[in-house]
Amino acid sequence: MNKIDCPSAAAPQGEAGRDGLSVFDIQRYCIHDGEGIRTTVFFKGCPLRCAWCHNPESQAGKPELLWNEERCTGCGACEAACLQKAVWGGCPEPDRSRCIACGACVQACLGSARQVAGIRYSPEELAAAVCRDRMFYEESGGGATLSGGEVLAAEPFPAVLELCRLLKEEGISVFIDTCGQAPFERFEQLLEVADCFLYDIKAMDSQKHRKWTGVGNELILQNLWKLHLNGARIRLRLPLVEGVNAEEEDILPVIGLLKKGLRAEKIHLLPYHDFGRSKAQRLGHVSQPSFQAPSREKLEGLAELFRGAGFPQVVIGG
């Protein structure tokens, strides 16, 4: 087996603005994104606009600038560095109509108040980054999880397939974390190289799904069933938000799907968290609505619905 050379710690991790796959984060030692210890790669670009999105920097496919007002010292270094005149007049908040997220102001910033979300990587660079943690995968039965955003919406998609093939050639497990909103042809291409699909169900009612995510769920449910028919390993993930999708009436249709024969290795009940609100503010987005997580008591009750229906593989959390 030809091992991929891993980059040194000093090696640049991708470049902004060139061809390749746009990634906004690579998280190591993840224990909630599949089996064992995993490295999770987060791609930019998503067809959904969930009102509670905890990674709002993942939604747009292009690089974006995050500005943290609390860290800003008002030194003016960003204005001097910006060639697009997106910072001017002594105001450090970027003019997003001009900003191209080139990163010049990030390098000049003395207070680490600025960050670019979205770095371009080749499949080979990403595979090398994942391979750095090979010994953790071997000891724990872990691997790589490709997430987002939406990995099936990442462009160019052939580069996603190449990344998966490189990892499989290295004997590294590949899990796909997906919202399901993509042409099934892309799922078909991943069947050969993906070990398991972590499949989100945000609402079984299409109108409610459209209200909270911007799109209906017809394609999502069709793709889920087709994956089942193709023998894919599936783990269902249900992000639960109080007042949105955390009542028995929201859960019973999922149980109905399982009773029809849908195979799910595990069912994860994922309580809402508000990590995305501060990031949305740093992106200059309109503030997210205020949501709450279901209580532990409610989550236990929903889990008991699955167990009582004959599906004991339900867990709370990732």
Side-chain angles (χ1 to χ4, degrees), residues 5-315:
D5 291 332
C6 297
S8 69
Q13 297 295 292
E15 284 180 45
R18 64 164 197 197
D19 292 338
L21 291 164
S22 184
V23 170
F24 71 90
D25 200 5
I26 300 175
Q27 291 186 3
R28 303 183 184 280
Y29 211 87
C30 297
I31 58 173
H32 298 299
D33 293 329
E35 297 169 344
I37 297 170
R38 310 191 75 82
T39 298
T40 303
V41 181
F42 293 87
F43 294 88
K44 278 182 67 66
C46 185
L48 271 55
R49 292 294 180 268
C50 301
W52 58 84
C53 180
H54 63 275
N55 285 327
E57 73 275 36
S58 74
Q59 293 180 358
K62 64 181 182 180
E64 296 173 282
L65 181 71
L66 291 87
W67 173 61
N68 189 331
E69 184 176 9
E70 294 180 358
R71 292 185 179 179
C72 182
T73 64
C75 68
C78 54
E79 182 173 355
C82 183
L83 299 178
Q84 308 301 320
K85 304 301 180 184
V87 185
W88 57 280
C91 177
E93 184 171 4
D95 179 347
R96 297 184 185 276
S97 67
R98 292 174 176 263
C99 179
I100 61 171
C102 67
C105 65
V106 176
Q107 296 181 25
C109 181
L110 302 178
S112 299
R114 313 174 90 82
Q115 173 189 352
V116 172
I119 302 297
R120 295 284 180 179
Y121 290 80
S122 70
E124 292 78 13
E125 287 173 321
L126 283 174
V130 170
C131 284
R132 286 171 53 186
D133 297 326
R134 184 193 302 274
M135 68 175 173
F136 295 113
Y137 315 145
E138 292 173 348
E139 293 176 0
S140 69
T145 298
L146 308 186
S147 187
E150 174 52 56
V151 61
L152 280 101
E155 297 294 352
F157 190 68
V160 175
L161 294 174
E162 179 61 18
L163 169 62
C164 293
R165 292 190 182 102
L166 288 170
L167 294 174
K168 294 300 287 185
E169 288 173 3
E170 293 294 313
I172 294 175
S173 162
V174 177
F175 278 33
I176 303 294
D177 184 5
T178 178
C179 72
Q181 184 70 18
F184 188 70
E185 290 77 10
R186 295 197 167 190
F187 283 98
E188 282 185 305
Q189 294 176 77
L190 283 170
L191 282 169
E192 296 182 1
V193 289
D195 295 290
C196 185
F197 292 86
L198 309 178
Y199 206 100
D200 285 5
I201 295 183
K202 297 177 171 67
M204 288 292 289
D205 179 83
S206 188
Q207 289 186 345
K208 177 177 286 190
H209 197 281
R210 184 178 298 278
K211 174 182 177 180
W212 293 109
T213 74
V215 301
N217 66 1
E218 290 81 4
L219 179 60
I220 293 168
L221 295 180
Q222 289 171 16
N223 285 338
L224 175 60
W225 195 255
K226 287 179 180 178
L227 280 178
H228 156 76
L229 293 177
N230 278 273
R233 290 176 58 196
I234 298 169
R235 297 186 177 193
L236 295 182
R237 291 158 68 95
L238 280 60
L240 297 177
V241 184
E242 186 64 33
V244 175
N245 60 357
E247 303 300 327
E248 285 192 18
E249 66 186 40
D250 300 301
I251 299 302
L252 291 176
V254 181
I255 293 175
L257 199 59
L258 294 168
K259 286 185 173 180
K260 289 181 180 178
L262 180 77
R263 294 183 304 275
E265 292 182 354
K266 283 190 177 181
I267 303 134
H268 295 269
L269 307 184
L270 306 178
Y272 164 79
H273 61 71
D274 65 355
F275 297 165
R277 297 193 73 197
S278 63
K279 290 191 285 186
Q281 185 178 19
R282 297 202 298 272
L283 284 165
H285 292 183
V286 176
S287 296
Q288 287 187 357
S290 179
F291 293 107
Q292 298 293 326
S295 67
R296 183 71 187 191
E297 181 181 12
K298 175 175 275 191
L299 290 169
E300 291 288 0
L302 298 178
E304 192 56 39
L305 284 178
F306 284 98
R307 298 185 189 110
F311 303 104
Q313 66 270 36
V314 62
V315 294

